[in-house]
Amino acid sequence: MSGELRVLGACPLDCPDGCSWVVTVENGEAVKLRGNPDHPYTRGALCVKVNRYLEHTRADDRILYPMRRTGPKGSGQFERITWDEALDEISVRLRGIVEEHGGEAIWPYLGTGTLGYLQGCEGVAGRRFWNMLGASKHWLNICSAAGSSGLTRTNGTAGGMDPENFALAKLILLWGTNTLTSGHHLWKFIQDARAEGAHVVAIDPIRTRTADQADEYLAIRPGTDAALALGLLNVVLAENAQDEEFLAEHTEGWEDFRQEILKYPVETVAEITGIPAAAIHSLGMRLAHTRPTAIRATQGLQRHQGGGTALRTIASIPGVTGDWRHPGGGIAYSTTGHVHFDIDTRDDLLAKPVRTLVMTKLASQLDDVKCLWVYAANPAGSSPDANAIRRQLAREDLFTVVMEQFPTDTVDYADIVLPATMQTEHQDLHAGYGHLYLLWNEPAGPPPGECLSTTETFRRLAAHMGMTEPSLFDSDLELAEQLLSSGHPSLEGITLDRLRKEGWVRLNYPQPFAPFAEGFPTRSGRMRFPPAGKAYTPSHTAGARGGGSPYRLALVTPASHTFLNTTFGNNPELRRRAKDPVVLVNPADAAARGLVAGQRVRVHNDGGEFLADVEISDRVAAGVVASPKGRWPKLTPGGANPNAVVAERDGDMGRGPGFHDNLVEISPCAGP
């Protein structure tokens, strides 16, 4: 190959923006990566993390060949082996486990390292192969399950507004979301709205960089968001500003919900949330009299004990105000509910029903698992109760296979490591969960070393094990054709040939898009308000406030501006920019504990501890501390990140995790 080519692709990472990108290839080598200027949402820009993606694919610590463990589990000591040797050993071990313990003793642990519908979690990559073995199913609840469940109970789907329509809003509530760090492309549409006079409010336990840019910031206690929603609606009712026509035509359960709202006057809500009553009343007045109002609520908001209820109640606001009538009104959480692919995991290949194991219950549900197969995930760095996970991963009777690109903490515990491709090296189909576009990713070059894609790995393993089921050997293009064949009107005219040629295509929804102006995808066709007594479930930390726990500080672990989950946690330049880990502490809490700025401290509870440097700041309220997620434990002082103190606790819906719902204490480190 000679000359210059422009290869269209898509960012695969766990971010709502699902960027379209362009790779410049010169003489067969990818030399430049940029955001696609022709894509209406990407608009030519990538984030600070992904700008270094090409460099990352060529990193010195890239895993290029299959490896077998040679040292103790956790040591990270391996020897290079061939693919045939790896597949031989895996085949023997899998057959033995199925024969002795049954297929359900195998746990395929698939994460959000790639959101691809071919290679990643959105299409449940590899599930057909696992069904042939009768392996346990995997509930991928780590990201958005609680909120999706709450929204679905209200609206019939987690899909909502087209985020591009934020440009039409007159009031914008950025609720528990740090847009400029976690999905910055939305900000351009917010700026368009502000140019037309929109008022932007940030609601967050942390005064983030997004809150700094908002017109107004409300510092809310973690996990009290549903109470605030009820308080704001209380003001709407006091103003008699509810949309009675919309309520009558398109909702059910209104009278009971109305009575629930009346139980939350502004003064009560101020006591619950920590927000001054005057600020709640002022925002309630804006909400009552500003159409359209757009609410952006993302995944961080629902990572607590009452997270599903919080999204369910917040999603009720546009039903009361009638904002769903108006383009630019409503709530945007995830647009995935508007994507209607035909995802056929071939459950008919199962000989009998199998159990489902829960991603964030890895430590407690591994006891009777004999094979853990990890792909697109780094649970030793990303999942709750990290210390208990490490103890489980150290079991000699647990056969662990990890498909990976880099030597993560999880890789250190593997028996077999299989080298995985990165996005510029394989085909994939994507749909961002923060916009309404499908994207095709074409490889910009061959994989380095002996790296294989997820789909090719499972094709080879199926052949090695003598499986003959034809669907196990479908090519990537055949799988993509199947996904696009659902017949849903939103896919009309969208073919694989067109996607490969154009790189991206908008789903067939109108612009502007008012998804529920004429009804909801529920059984009754109506929005369903929360039932009496079910509109506010306090988080663990909010419920424990004033109790007898020795741990008095509510820990929030927000997204890092530098890392994306634990992706890029080993990138030298991004690690340099991130510096050492910090914990934000309010001046009052620092003074009460004798802490000084820059001091190395232990953040701890009964589950464990991690080390961080104190940053004394009013960006968090008294009683709240914050330390960003995303660091690799083995590259972090003390060998632990905040997940060491995150409890393995289910939320109220979807078994959502509680990453932002843990009580801790802070103590100085011993020694100099």
Side-chain angles (χ1 to χ4, degrees):
M1 183 185 296
S2 61
E4 180 179 296
L5 294 175
R6 294 173 69 254
V7 179
L8 298 176
C11 178
L13 301 178
D14 187 11
C15 165
D17 291 6
C19 287
S20 174
W21 70 30
V22 182
V23 182
T24 301
V25 178
E26 293 182 353
N27 299 318
E29 181 181 1
V31 297
K32 182 180 179 182
L33 174 72
R34 64 173 297 195
N36 189 344
D38 298 327
H39 190 275
Y41 203 77
T42 304
R43 295 186 181 183
L46 300 175
C47 67
V48 67
K49 314 170 190 69
V50 177
N51 276 330
R52 310 189 73 86
Y53 193 86
L54 279 186
E55 171 193 289
H56 203 51
T57 66
R58 296 188 282 263
D60 291 339
D61 57 346
R62 179 84 186 267
I63 296 172
L64 300 177
Y65 305 98
M67 299 187 295
R68 177 192 292 120
R69 177 170 63 89
T70 59
K73 288 200 172 190
S75 68
Q77 297 174 19
F78 298 96
E79 64 179 358
R80 177 179 169 181
I81 58 176
T82 67
W83 266 101
D84 278 343
E85 289 175 312
L87 295 176
D88 281 343
E89 184 165 341
I90 289 168
S91 298
V92 169
R93 295 293 297 270
L94 290 180
R95 287 194 189 99
I97 289 168
V98 172
E99 290 171 5
E100 184 175 355
H101 304 283
E104 288 177 291
I106 301 169
W107 186 347
Y109 193 95
L110 171 60
T112 60
T114 170
L115 302 187
Y117 280 84
L118 303 183
Q119 311 296 345
C121 64
E122 292 288 13
V124 199
R127 188 62 231 177
R128 294 178 181 181
F129 172 82
W130 298 120
N131 284 345
M132 290 292 295
L133 293 178
S136 292
K137 292 188 176 182
H138 174 70
W139 176 230
L140 201 155
N141 67 319
I142 200 166
C143 185
S144 58
S148 294
S149 179
L151 283 163
T152 300
R153 294 187 192 197
T154 296
N155 295 335
T157 175
M161 286 182 65
D162 178 352
E164 292 183 56
N165 288 352
F166 272 65
L168 306 175
K170 296 303 180 184
L171 174 63
I172 295 174
L173 307 185
L174 300 176
W175 205 320
T177 183
N178 184 6
T179 302
L180 290 174
T181 285
S182 301
H184 71 90
H185 292 82
L186 179 65
W187 194 254
K188 297 172 184 176
F189 298 96
I190 293 172
Q191 287 178 313
D192 291 343
R194 291 177 101 172
E196 299 297 323
H199 185 80
V200 179
V201 182
I203 303 167
D204 203 294
I206 308 169
R207 196 176 76 244
T208 62
R209 61 181 63 212
T210 302
D212 285 340
Q213 297 299 316
D215 299 305
E216 185 178 349
Y217 166 57
L218 301 185
I220 190 170
R221 286 195 182 106
T224 63
D225 306 276
L228 177 59
L230 293 165
L232 296 175
L233 288 174
N234 190 284
V235 178
V236 171
L237 291 186
E239 289 293 295
N240 198 30
Q242 66 273 18
D243 188 326
E244 294 287 3
E245 183 179 355
F246 190 86
L247 288 165
E249 293 181 357
H250 298 300
T251 72
E252 60 184 65
W254 166 237
E255 282 307 317
D256 286 344
F257 187 55
R258 182 178 179 278
Q259 293 303 314
E260 196 71 15
I261 293 169
L262 295 177
K263 298 175 185 176
Y264 289 85
V266 166
E267 293 75 15
T268 299
V269 172
E271 174 62 25
I272 294 171
T273 63
I275 301 171
I280 297 172
H281 184 266
S282 174
L283 181 55
M285 292 291 287
R286 283 188 184 274
L287 178 64
H289 300 293
T290 309
R291 306 276 77 75
T293 289
I295 302 170
R296 177 64 163 168
T298 52
Q299 285 65 36
L301 171 62
Q302 44 91 68
R303 289 176 181 149
H304 63 82
Q305 185 168 276
T309 298
L311 262 297
R312 183 176 193 181
T313 300
I314 293 169
S316 298
I317 291 174
V320 176
T321 60
D323 270 295
W324 286 121
R325 291 182 183 277
H326 313 287
I331 183 170
Y333 177 72
S334 170
T335 55
T336 302
H338 296 306
V339 180
H340 295 278
F341 286 150
D342 183 8
I343 302 174
D344 186 4
T345 57
R346 292 296 308 275
D347 282 1
D348 61 300
L349 299 177
L350 286 165
K352 62 182 180 63
V354 296
R355 66 181 177 176
T356 297
L357 298 172
V358 180
M359 187 174 193
T360 56
K361 306 286 278 190
L362 179 62
S364 60
Q365 293 190 347
L366 262 178
D367 288 343
D368 62 349
V369 172
K370 299 302 178 182
C371 173
L372 179 68
W373 188 293
V374 180
Y375 51 128
N378 179 19
S382 296
S383 294
D385 205 350
N387 292 329
I389 288 174
R390 287 177 178 272
R391 291 191 292 270
Q392 287 276 31
L393 292 178
R395 284 169 35 203
E396 285 296 332
D397 69 323
L398 179 67
F399 178 57
T400 301
V401 179
V402 180
M403 298 163 63
E404 249 297 351
Q405 302 151 354
F406 296 100
T408 65
D409 291 80
T410 305
V411 164
D412 287 348
Y413 288 88
D415 294 289
I416 298 290
V417 181
L418 301 177
T421 49
M422 295 180 70
Q423 186 73 349
T424 51
E425 302 154 6
H426 57 228
Q427 293 175 322
D428 214 340
L429 178 60
H430 288 264
Y433 62 90
H435 60 60
L436 293 175
Y437 298 90
L438 303 184
L439 306 102
W440 178 256
N441 184 78
E442 193 70 22
E450 296 178 2
C451 297
L452 295 181
S453 68
T454 302
T455 48
E456 181 60 19
T457 297
F458 284 116
R459 283 190 287 261
R460 292 196 185 186
L461 182 56
H464 211 83
M465 295 187 69
M467 296 179 180
T468 58
E469 162 57 41
S471 68
L472 299 178
F473 304 99
D474 287 343
S475 70
D476 291 353
L477 295 181
E478 288 171 328
L479 291 169
E481 293 274 18
Q482 293 164 22
L483 285 163
L484 293 167
S485 68
S486 71
H488 192 272
S490 65
L491 296 175
E492 185 177 351
I494 302 177
T495 65
L496 182 57
D497 285 345
R498 181 183 173 192
L499 266 175
R500 296 187 72 188
K501 179 181 179 180
E502 300 178 20
W504 56 269
V505 178
R506 182 180 166 90
L507 291 164
N508 287 317
Y509 294 108
Q511 288 182 303
F513 180 39
F516 310 133
E518 301 300 328
F520 294 80
T522 60
R523 185 173 299 176
S524 66
R526 294 169 173 263
M527 169 188 273
R528 300 172 297 206
F529 288 116
K534 300 292 186 179
Y536 171 46
T537 300
S539 67
H540 171 71
T541 57
R545 195 164 62 91
S549 171
Y551 306 109
R552 309 299 299 162
L553 300 171
L555 174 67
V556 178
T557 59
S560 164
H561 196 70
T562 313
F563 310 125
L564 203 162
N565 302 326
T566 61
T567 302
F568 306 115
N570 61 323
N571 185 282
E573 174 58 21
L574 295 176
R575 288 180 61 211
R576 183 192 67 79
R577 294 186 189 185
K579 302 179 181 178
D580 283 343
V582 299
V583 57
L584 273 64
V585 184
N586 182 271
D589 293 322
R593 291 160 178 78
L595 305 177
V596 297
Q599 179 180 12
R600 180 64 54 86
V601 295
R602 298 168 50 239
V603 183
H604 59 96
N605 59 20
D606 290 341
E609 67 178 38
F610 68 95
L611 305 184
D613 296 337
V614 170
E615 182 177 325
I616 299 175
S617 175
D618 63 359
R619 288 187 175 274
V620 290
V624 178
V625 295
S627 189
K629 66 177 181 177
R631 294 178 183 270
W632 287 17
K634 67 180 178 180
L635 301 180
T636 302
N641 67 19
N643 288 331
V645 300
V646 173
E648 197 183 69
R649 183 190 302 118
D650 282 347
D652 58 342
M653 297 180 191
R655 305 197 71 174
F659 288 106
H660 303 324
D661 198 8
N662 298 276
L663 291 170
V664 298
E665 200 35 84
I666 297 180
S667 305
C669 287

